[in-house]
Amino acid sequence: MKRLTLAVIVGLTGCVNIPDSYAPPVQRRPASGPDTSRLKHFIAMNDPAAEDHFLNDIGALEGGAWRWTRQNPTLRFVLPTTRGLKFVADFSISSDTLKETGPITIVYFVNGHTLDSVRYEKAGEQHFEKAVAAEWLNEGQDVVVKLALDKVYVAPADGAKLGVTIVRAGFAE
Amino acid sequence: MPFAVYILFGATLTALGCWALGSLLLQKLGVALYRQERPWVAFLCGAPVLSTLVFFLTAGQVLYKGTILAVVLAALAACWRTEAWRARGESFKPLGRGVTIGAWLLATPFVVLTFTHAMAPEMSPDGSAYHLGLVARYYREHGFHRYTLSIYGFLSQGLEMLFLSAYAFGRHSAAALVHWCFLVTLPMLMIAHGRRFGYPQAAVGGALFCFFSPVVGLDGASAYNDVAVACVLFGVFHLTEIWVATRQRGLIVLIGLLAGFAFAAKYTAFLAVPYAVLRIVWTLRRDRRPWLKTAAVVCALALIMAGPWLVKNALWTGNPVAPFFNRWFPNPYVTVDFEREYGEHMRNYHGLKSHWEIPLEITLRGLVLCGLLGPLFLLSPLALLALRDPVGGRLLPAALVFGSVYAANIGTRFLIPAAPFVSLALALVFVRVKWLLAVAVLAHAVTSWPDVIKTYSHQYAWRLDRIWWKPALRIEKEEGFLTRLWPSYTVARLLDATVPPGDRVLTFNQVSEAYTSRDVMVAYQSAEGTRLGAILWTPLIAEYKPVRALDFQFPAKALRSVRLVQTAAHELDQWHLSEVRLYAGKRELPRETNWRLRAKPFPWTVQAAFDGSELTKWQSNQSLFPGMFVEVDLGTTRTVDRVWAQSPAVEQNSRVRLEGLDAGGTWVVLAPEPVVRELPPPLGLRRAAIEELKRSGVRWFLTAKGDFATDDFAARKQEWGVTLVGQANEVYLYRFD
C-alpha cells in the first residue's frame, strides 16, 4: 500500500521528464557580439558612439541621457536597408525656454528633402515619427538628417543658444 | 437517412447508456428511491460511469463508434437481463392536478425552445471553440494524444466524455442534446427533492424558476457544462439529504461517485467533495457514530472519478491540476503569469465599470457578464427568509458553498451551480403567501421568454433566440444556418479549405475548432502560443524590441560558471533576456556544446537567450523576485572579463547582478550592476519574426479586423514575407512565404 501511495505521489508530480539544463542551441547567425560599427541607423544620446553621428548643433551629454541642441541640429546615420523605414526622434521642450520663445516650429529634413514641419506649442516630452520614402535614402552611405528650429532661446548671461533637449533619434521600422 | 436521426440517435444512446448504468448501480447497491425520482437519479448516477468508460476508451486509443456502441449496448443488455430497468419503489403523493397541469403548460414551450436550440447546429462561443473542439479532436484521433497547446485541454472533461459518446454518431448537436438532458433532469430532481422532503408545491415553483432562467436555458441547450455541473451538485445534495434521512449505505457510494464526477466535470465543482463529507461527518458525529470510514469511502470514490483527469495532466504536463497551481507544479506549458492574468480577467470582465453593476448585469442586461438570470433573481435576497424553514436551512448553506467560487469568475453562468438552491429557497418564501408563488412563476416565465427578454436586456445579451425547429430538424441546412448566424464557422471552413492538414495556424482569437480539423494555435492559450505571439508582435511594439544592453565589465577571472541574478522584486514586471554573451578580452567566447544553460524560474526556454537571435528571448513568466537567475555552466574553467546581455525596453524595474563560480568552487559577485545602454532598434524584424515562427512549426497566421497586427500585415506583406490567401467576413488568413 505504501509503495502504491508513493507511486501515485511520484506519478502525479513528476511523470514528465523535462530537463532543467540545456546545451546552447543551433545558432541563428554567427556570433557577432555587440555592434562595434561607429555609425548606426539609430542612436541614443548617451551611446559611447553618439558623437560620431553629430554634424552640427548638438551639445554635450547631460544627466546621462540627453543633450541640448542649438538651432540646426544635424546628424548622420548609416542604414543597412532603405525600405519601410521611418525617422524617429525623442526630445523634450523646456518650459523655461518655451516661455521665452513661444511656440516653435521644427522642419525635419532627410538628405535635403523636407520630411515634415511640426509646430510645438506645449513644453514636455515629444515624439516624432514619420515614414521616409526609400528613394530619399541610400544604403551603406551617410544619411543626413537636420532638424531646423525656427527659433531658439538665447541665454542673456553667456549668449548660449538652446533649442530642444534630444534623447534619441534615428531610423526604425 | 436524415441527419436529424443521427443527432437524436447519438444523444439518446448516450442518455440511455447513462440511465442503464445508473439503474444497474442503483440495483446493485440496493438503494430505495421513490418511483418518480428513480429514473432521474439513475441517469445522473450513470453519467460518471459512462464518462469514465469513455475516458478509458479514449485513453486506450480505441475510441470508435463500434466501441462506444458496444459499451452502451452491454449496459442496456445487463440492465434488461437483471431487470434493473423496472420501475420500483413507492410513489410520491400526487402533486395535485392544478399544479401539474399549470407547470406543464408553462414548461412545455421552454422545453421545446431549449430542445430545438440544442438540436440546432451548435454555435455557442466556448462550445464550438473548445468543449467540442477537443471532443472533435479526440474523435478524429480516436483517442487522447498529448496536446499541450490549449489550457482548455488540461481542464477536467468529464462531461465532454459524454459529449464524445454522442458526437461519434450525431456530431455537435448530439453533444449539445446530452447537456440538454441534464437541463431537464435538474428540475425533475428539484421537484423530487421537494416531494420527498415535504414542500412539493414550492419545489415545483423553484424548479421552474431555475429552468426558465434565460442563462440556464441557453447554457443547458449548448455544449457547455455549467447546467450539468449544477445538476450533479444538486444530485450530491439530494442524495446526501436522503442518506441523512434514511442512512442507506448504498447512497454513500453514489454520493462519492457524484462528488468526484463534479470535479471531473469542472474543477470549481470540487466543493461537492468537502460539502458531502462535512455533511455526512457532521451528521454521524451528532449521532455519536463512527464517521471516519464513511468519510474515507466518499473521498476514495471521489478520487476514483477525479483521478483519471489528474493522472492525464500529470503525464502530459507534470502538473496534475493544470492549468492552475503552476507555482506549485512548474511546467513549460502554462505559466505562472498566465494564471495570474487569467484569474484577473475572470474576476474583472472587460466592460464592467464596477462590481456594483453585477446585480443588474446578471439579472437584466446580460451583455458584459454573458447572460442573464432574469429579473426574478433581483429578489434573491428574499431567499434568506427561507432560513426560518428547516429545508431552507439546508438549501441556503448549499447555495453558499456552491456559489462561493463565483468570485473566481464573475460570468453569469458561474452562478448556475447555486441557482437551484436559491430558486428553491425563494419559492419556499413565496409559497407562504397565497398565489404569490403562482404569480411569480408566471411572471418569470413571461419575462424569460426570448421575445420579452429583448425588451429589457441589452440588445446583444447572450440569450436564446426563438424556437428553431427548422434548423433543429435540418430543414434549414447546417451549412447555411451557421454561415448566416455564426461568423466563426466560416473562418473554420476557410481553414479547412485552405490550410493543408498538419500545418499549424497561429491566431490571437478563439476559433470554432469544432468545425475545423486544422491545427489552430490560439496565442494566449499556452506558454508556447504566448511566446510565438510575442515574437510576432516584437516588430510592432517599441517596448518589446531588444534595445536595452546590460554591460558587465570586470577584471579578468577564471570562472567555471557565470550567472545573472535578479535582485529586484516587482508585482507585475517580468525579466527577459534576448541574448547573453561572454567575452575574454575583445573576443566573444563561442557557445560550446559542453556548456549547460539553466534558468530559474522557467528553465525551459533558456536556450532562447543563447541562440544568436535578438528576436527570441528567455522570459521569467512570473513577476520579478530576487534570486531569479540565468546561468551558464562553462563545462570547464575559462577566463572571462565581460558579460553582455540584451533585453527589451519594457524592462524598467529589473535590477541585475553578475556572479561567477570561481575555480575554487565559490560564487562571487563579479559586478553588482551593469552599465545600461540603449541599443538601436534592430531592423528587418518582420521577416525575422516570420522565419522564427516557421522554425517553430507555424506556417499560417489568422488575424481579424481590429487586431493589433492586422493593419500592418495588410500594409507590409512584402516586409513580413507573407501572402494573403483567404478572407472570411473580416478575418484574414496569411500564408508565410
Side-chain angles (χ1 to χ4, degrees):
Chain A
M1 188 62 193
K2 276 183 186 170
R3 281 184 187 174
L4 182 65
T5 311
L6 189 65
V8 169
I9 292 169
V10 170
L12 289 181
T13 55
C15 284
V16 184
N17 182 22
I18 304 169
D20 68 347
S21 78
Y22 298 84
V26 174
Q27 297 298 291
R28 300 289 194 264
R29 58 170 181 255
S32 57
D35 183 7
T36 52
S37 59
R38 300 302 290 174
L39 289 179
K40 308 178 198 310
H41 61 274
F42 190 99
I43 198 75
M45 292 300 118
N46 60 1
D47 191 289
E51 292 189 2
D52 294 345
H53 296 73
F54 304 158
L55 295 177
N56 193 30
D57 277 0
I58 298 179
L61 183 68
E62 296 189 42
W66 48 270
R67 296 168 188 266
W68 275 109
T69 72
R70 291 180 284 279
Q71 190 145 11
N72 292 298
T74 309
L75 304 98
R76 61 176 175 161
F77 301 94
V78 170
L79 309 182
T81 179
T82 57
R83 291 191 51 186
L85 295 182
K86 58 191 176 187
F87 176 71
V88 178
D90 286 314
F91 57 91
S92 278
I93 299 175
S94 157
S95 56
D96 291 338
T97 60
L98 193 75
K99 212 184 307 172
E100 298 298 325
T101 61
I104 59 171
T105 298
I106 302 179
V107 183
Y108 297 84
F109 295 95
V110 176
N111 274 349
H113 302 275
T114 306
L115 178 65
D116 206 353
S117 172
V118 183
R119 179 178 160 89
Y120 296 94
E121 298 184 350
K122 288 183 182 163
E125 290 181 5
Q126 310 290 344
H127 176 78
F128 172 83
E129 68 173 63
K130 188 162 184 186
V132 182
E135 308 83 73
W136 295 4
L137 306 171
N138 25 40
E139 219 170 280
Q141 296 174 23
D142 285 7
V143 172
V144 177
V145 176
K146 183 168 87 172
L147 282 64
L149 284 64
D150 65 339
K151 53 191 113 137
V152 291
Y153 170 74
V154 182
D158 57 2
K161 292 179 178 174
L162 301 178
V164 297
T165 55
I166 189 163
V167 179
R168 60 182 70 83
F171 291 85
E173 284 178 328
Chain B
M1 197 180 293
F3 191 64
V5 175
Y6 290 100
I7 295 170
L8 291 172
F9 178 75
T12 307
L13 186 83
T14 304
L16 277 177
C18 292
W19 169 80
L21 289 163
S23 297
L24 287 166
L25 203 54
L26 289 175
Q27 187 186 54
K28 185 83 183 161
L29 295 169
V31 172
L33 295 169
Y34 283 98
R35 181 181 289 259
Q36 290 87 352
E37 74 185 340
R38 191 178 181 88
W40 307 104
V41 172
F43 167 76
L44 191 62
C45 293
V49 183
L50 183 61
S51 169
T52 307
L53 290 172
V54 176
F55 177 95
F56 284 114
L57 290 180
T58 316
Q61 318 284 322
V62 286
L63 185 77
Y64 295 94
K65 278 183 195 169
T67 49
I68 296 168
L69 199 59
V71 166
V72 175
L73 289 180
L76 287 169
C79 194
W80 179 261
R81 192 166 46 80
T82 59
E83 299 198 339
W85 60 275
R86 283 190 188 282
R88 290 188 177 81
E90 294 175 34
S91 285
F92 287 127
K93 284 183 195 161
L95 270 174
R97 213 179 165 83
V99 173
T100 307
I101 292 172
W104 276 113
L105 275 177
L106 285 177
T108 302
F110 284 90
V111 171
V112 176
L113 174 71
T114 52
F115 180 84
T116 57
H117 256 264
M119 196 171 162
E122 170 69 17
M123 52 179 222
S124 62
D126 292 356
S128 68
Y130 63 87
H131 287 295
L132 292 184
L134 291 165
V135 163
R137 173 182 288 270
Y138 299 150
Y139 188 67
R140 204 163 51 236
E141 297 174 351
H142 301 296
F144 293 128
H145 287 88
R146 192 160 176 270
Y147 177 60
T148 55
L149 296 179
S150 167
I151 49 163
Y152 301 114
F154 302 142
L155 297 173
S156 56
Q157 295 155 44
L159 189 67
E160 282 80 352
M161 292 298 101
L162 300 180
F163 289 173
L164 194 45
S165 161
Y167 179 91
F169 301 93
R171 296 292 181 263
H172 311 75
S173 300
L177 276 175
V178 170
H179 197 208
W180 180 84
C181 291
F182 286 89
L183 174 68
V184 175
T185 302
L186 175 60
M188 300 313 284
L189 281 177
M190 292 167 72
I191 292 170
H193 190 77
R195 295 177 81 177
R196 178 182 271 275
F197 291 100
Y199 62 107
Q201 293 189 356
V204 172
L208 295 179
F209 284 168
C210 185
F211 183 63
F212 294 163
S213 173
V215 73
V216 173
L218 180 51
D219 189 289
S222 308
Y224 278 48
N225 59 15
D226 309 277
V227 172
V229 166
C231 188
V232 172
L233 292 175
F234 193 83
V236 170
F237 169 81
H238 181 54
L239 295 181
T240 308
E241 291 308 316
I242 299 176
W243 176 85
V244 170
T246 65
R247 305 297 169 92
Q248 298 179 62
R249 291 176 66 184
L251 284 170
I252 292 295
V253 175
L254 300 180
I255 292 165
L257 288 179
L258 271 187
F261 184 58
F263 174 89
K266 200 175 187 98
Y267 276 173
T268 49
F270 77 96
L271 287 166
V273 182
Y275 172 83
V277 169
L278 288 175
R279 180 80 174 110
I280 289 166
V281 169
W282 184 80
T283 305
L284 289 171
R285 281 179 64 95
R286 187 193 59 191
D287 297 350
R288 298 180 186 284
R289 296 181 62 92
W291 53 269
L292 189 60
K293 194 175 162 190
T294 310
V297 170
V298 172
C299 290
L301 288 163
L303 192 60
I304 287 172
M305 296 312 303
W309 298 103
L310 300 173
V311 171
K312 172 176 159 281
N313 273 347
L315 289 170
W316 279 14
T317 70
N319 176 3
V321 282
F324 304 109
F325 296 99
N326 297 293
R327 207 181 284 269
W328 293 16
F329 302 103
N331 66 86
Y333 310 108
V334 191
T335 68
V336 171
D337 189 61
F338 164 81
E339 192 182 335
R340 181 191 61 75
E341 263 191 42
Y342 184 74
E344 189 75 19
H345 179 67
M346 293 296 113
R347 288 189 293 274
N348 301 285
Y349 274 46
H350 181 68
L352 193 72
K353 294 186 192 103
S354 147
H355 280 196
W356 291 106
E357 289 184 345
I358 291 177
L360 283 183
E361 191 58 48
I362 61 172
T363 52
L364 295 174
R365 293 183 195 141
L367 177 72
V368 175
L369 298 180
C370 310
L372 64 159
L373 290 160
L376 173 86
F377 285 87
L378 279 171
L379 302 175
S380 296
L382 292 178
L384 289 172
L385 296 174
L387 281 171
R388 287 161 53 191
D389 190 302
V391 176
R394 295 193 289 271
L395 288 169
L396 288 171
L400 193 66
V401 170
F402 298 134
S404 63
V405 286
Y406 176 68
N409 188 330
I410 59 170
T412 309
R413 63 192 174 89
F414 290 85
L415 284 168
I416 292 175
F421 303 98
V422 174
S423 298
L424 287 175
L426 206 52
L428 272 173
V429 175
F430 288 171
V431 82
R432 290 177 197 157
V433 181
K434 198 174 179 185
W435 295 109
L436 180 57
L437 181 59
V439 170
V441 169
L442 185 61
H444 185 47
V446 171
T447 54
S448 297
W449 192 252
D451 292 329
V452 181
I453 294 173
K454 56 187 170 191
T455 63
Y456 64 84
S457 74
H458 190 281
Q459 181 186 359
Y460 299 114
W462 193 56
R463 56 180 171 76
L464 290 161
D465 190 40
R466 64 174 71 94
I467 291 175
W468 275 345
W469 63 274
K470 279 187 179 175
L473 297 174
R474 299 305 190 268
I475 294 169
E476 180 178 1
K477 299 281 181 228
E478 184 164 304
E479 180 85 20
F481 178 78
L482 288 170
T483 304
R484 184 164 61 85
L485 291 178
W486 191 231
S488 189
Y489 173 79
T490 54
V491 175
R493 302 318 301 155
L494 170 68
L495 294 180
D496 263 19
T498 315
V499 177
D503 273 17
R504 180 165 291 166
V505 182
L506 179 70
T507 179
F508 288 91
N509 298 298
Q510 196 163 266
V511 171
S512 284
E513 290 183 54
Y515 291 110
T516 176
S517 57
R518 301 303 182 256
D519 198 2
V520 178
M521 181 192 238
V522 183
Y524 65 84
Q525 289 181 0
S526 65
E528 176 67 356
T530 308
R531 185 182 78 82
L532 297 182
I535 287 174
L536 194 78
W537 275 356
T538 299
L540 305 176
I541 301 177
E543 289 77 15
Y544 280 22
K545 292 181 180 174
V547 296
R548 193 167 176 266
L550 313 178
D551 198 353
F552 297 92
Q553 297 195 36
F554 49 91
K557 198 168 177 67
L559 297 169
R560 282 159 51 182
S561 297
V562 293
R563 68 183 178 198
L564 296 138
V565 182
Q566 182 60 239
T567 59
H570 193 271
E571 215 173 291
L572 297 175
D573 277 14
Q574 295 186 28
W575 189 18
H576 316 72
L577 289 170
S578 306
E579 279 296 291
V580 177
R581 299 177 185 279
L582 277 59
Y583 292 85
K586 297 266 184 206
R587 197 172 59 84
E588 181 181 354
L589 297 184
R591 292 154 174 175
E592 291 173 4
T593 50
N594 64 338
W595 284 19
R596 280 291 168 272
L597 313 173
R598 292 188 188 86
K600 176 192 159 187
F602 217 78
W604 306 286
T605 55
V606 67
Q607 288 175 304
F610 297 86
D611 63 359
S613 166
E614 296 164 313
L615 197 61
T616 59
K617 59 179 185 267
W618 167 82
Q619 188 171 340
S620 62
N621 286 309
Q622 70 185 80
S623 310
L624 294 178
F625 63 82
M628 289 179 168
F629 68 81
V630 166
E631 181 181 314
V632 186
D633 176 347
L634 298 167
T636 181
T637 303
R638 303 292 298 267
T639 299
V640 182
D641 63 4
R642 185 184 186 194
V643 173
W644 184 91
Q646 196 175 346
S647 64
V650 71
E651 205 157 283
Q652 292 301 316
N653 292 294
S654 158
R655 298 289 177 271
V656 184
R657 178 177 72 214
L658 184 71
E659 295 180 354
L661 184 66
D662 65 19
T666 307
W667 283 102
V668 294
V669 174
L670 300 172
E673 58 182 0
V675 172
V676 179
R677 301 186 197 287
E678 187 178 333
L679 302 169
L683 300 178
L685 284 181
R686 286 181 177 81
R687 178 73 70 151
I690 295 302
E691 292 305 317
E692 196 56 47
L693 291 177
K694 280 158 72 176
R695 252 182 230 118
S696 301
V698 175
R699 306 202 69 87
W700 303 78
F701 178 52
L702 190 68
T703 187
K705 184 184 178 187
D707 280 2
F708 193 69
T710 304
D711 291 346
D712 199 79
F713 260 73
R716 298 180 172 220
K717 292 184 200 76
Q718 215 173 353
E719 286 164 58
W720 284 102
V722 298
T723 305
L724 178 67
V725 289
Q727 178 181 349
N729 300 315
E730 292 182 318
V731 180
Y732 308 92
L733 179 64
Y734 288 92
R735 187 188 60 229
F736 300 164
D737 298 336

